[in-house]
Amino acid sequence: MPDQPRVLCEVKGHIAYVTMNRPEKHNGLDMAMFRDMISTARKIRKDRGIRCVILSGNGPSFCAGLDFQAVNKDPSIVAKVFLKLPWTKQNIAQEIAHCWRDLPVPVISVIHGNCFGGGMQIILATDYRIARADASLAIMEMKWGLIPDMSGMATLSRLTRIDIAQELTMTGRKFSAREGHDYGLISRLADDPMAEAEQLAETICRQSPDAVAAAKYLFKKTWKADTWKALRWERWVQARLLGRKNQRIAMKNGLSKQGEPQPFIDRRSF
């Protein structure tokens, strides 16, 4: 329905449940979906009580990619989405995916049904991807004479080999989540991916939120970096954790042999 929000966000405890809400279109990406996804990620960034995000889609699919029918009706969408303003690092098309990688908390995507094109690039930018084995995936831009340009080039190289990335990109073929798991694109297969995601999120939320945010930040800065750069970042990030309130709470909880663990305070910024 046009009057329904494109994205729902509900916070339960320390977990933000973000749900794409355009089920009748398999959560196809139109201008409203782009804006709502990005604004939701920005709100989550400001809420330091949130420690993990679970990203899913309502209806029969996670996300079928760009809504080309909407583009045909309003060709100006292309300029709005793909034009990069001089003072920004990325355009809206890239930000809708990359905003999840930029969050200071882990993001778990829950995948079912179809996950094509832009939907595929969104999950590649999340930290964990849990899918039903029968989910259908595709880097589908080639079908439309295009290339992945929603941060896919930045994320594919972190997750799989170049020959696999090239073959999937150049053919645009559909493949199962089971095959995606073999390629390293899917983290875990599950009959009930939401239950698996919640279990993982709850485990993460029991850790120091500062240390979790620091770990995500550190991996982003050092993954595939040279050894000396990685060591420098390790020292700098660790220095921001040592002796802080949440680190002291973690030490106390780790040494305690009985009683309820002391709760952590809201995370610091990374």
Side-chain angles (χ1 to χ4, degrees):
M1 298 293 292
D3 57 343
Q4 291 293 311
R6 289 290 194 265
V7 178
L8 307 175
C9 183
E10 182 180 8
V11 179
K12 299 179 183 178
H14 296 290
I15 303 171
Y17 289 78
V18 177
T19 309
M20 287 178 282
N21 188 41
R22 205 181 177 211
E24 75 285 357
K25 294 290 187 179
H26 291 255
N27 297 312
L29 305 174
D30 62 355
M31 198 65 210
M33 182 74 85
F34 277 99
R35 289 174 176 153
D36 283 3
M37 284 279 277
I38 292 169
S39 65
T40 299
R42 289 174 179 172
K43 289 175 185 176
I44 290 172
R45 172 179 286 278
K46 294 176 182 177
D47 188 342
R48 296 194 181 185
I50 293 173
R51 300 181 186 177
C52 196
V53 176
I54 295 178
L55 177 62
S56 63
N58 268 342
S61 294
F62 175 81
C63 175
L66 186 65
D67 183 349
F68 280 92
Q69 289 185 350
V71 172
N72 283 336
K73 291 179 182 177
D74 182 9
S76 69
I77 290 175
V78 175
K80 293 174 183 175
V81 168
F82 293 101
L83 178 66
K84 189 187 84 68
L85 298 174
W87 56 87
T88 61
K89 293 182 179 179
Q90 55 196 345
N91 60 30
I92 292 175
Q94 293 165 330
E95 189 175 3
I96 193 178
H98 208 246
C99 63
W100 307 106
R101 187 183 176 205
D102 278 344
L103 282 183
V105 296
V107 181
I108 307 167
S109 48
V110 173
I111 303 123
H112 74 288
N114 296 331
C115 182
F116 299 152
M120 187 71 189
Q121 293 185 76
I122 288 171
I123 69 166
L124 293 177
T126 62
D127 300 287
Y128 310 100
R129 293 155 299 282
I130 304 177
R132 288 182 54 91
D134 59 358
S136 183
L137 315 178
I139 302 172
M140 197 172 272
E141 284 76 10
M142 189 60 61
K143 176 181 177 179
W144 312 106
L146 301 170
I147 51 127
D149 59 351
M150 293 171 57
S151 82
M153 291 299 99
T155 51
L156 272 171
S157 61
R158 296 163 49 238
L159 298 172
T160 193
R161 304 193 317 251
I162 188 171
D163 57 327
I164 292 173
Q166 288 187 158
E167 187 256 319
L168 295 177
T169 299
M170 293 176 183
T171 63
R173 70 174 175 86
K174 297 178 184 178
F175 56 99
S176 70
R178 188 175 299 281
E179 192 175 352
H181 182 263
D182 292 339
Y183 294 154
L185 302 177
I186 296 297
S187 310
R188 191 182 304 177
L189 300 171
D191 293 333
D192 187 346
M194 179 58 77
E196 290 275 333
E198 289 179 325
Q199 185 177 25
L200 175 58
E202 287 165 2
T203 300
I204 290 170
C205 288
R206 289 194 291 270
Q207 317 307 316
S208 163
D210 290 354
V212 171
K216 178 168 179 175
Y217 182 81
L218 186 61
F219 277 117
K220 181 181 174 182
K221 290 292 186 181
T222 63
W223 196 250
K224 297 189 176 181
D226 66 79
T227 299
W228 300 114
K229 181 179 179 180
L231 293 179
R232 287 195 301 272
W233 276 107
E234 274 186 6
R235 294 193 299 272
W236 185 82
V237 172
Q238 191 75 297
R240 295 190 65 189
L241 292 173
L242 285 168
R244 302 287 183 174
K245 178 70 173 178
N246 276 333
Q247 196 267 321
R248 297 198 305 272
I249 292 172
M251 285 287 291
K252 181 179 178 181
N253 290 345
L255 294 171
S256 176
K257 298 185 182 297
Q258 58 185 1
E260 286 292 318
Q262 182 179 345
F264 292 103
I265 63 172
D266 288 352
R267 62 176 168 79
R268 298 182 66 215
S269 178
F270 270 94

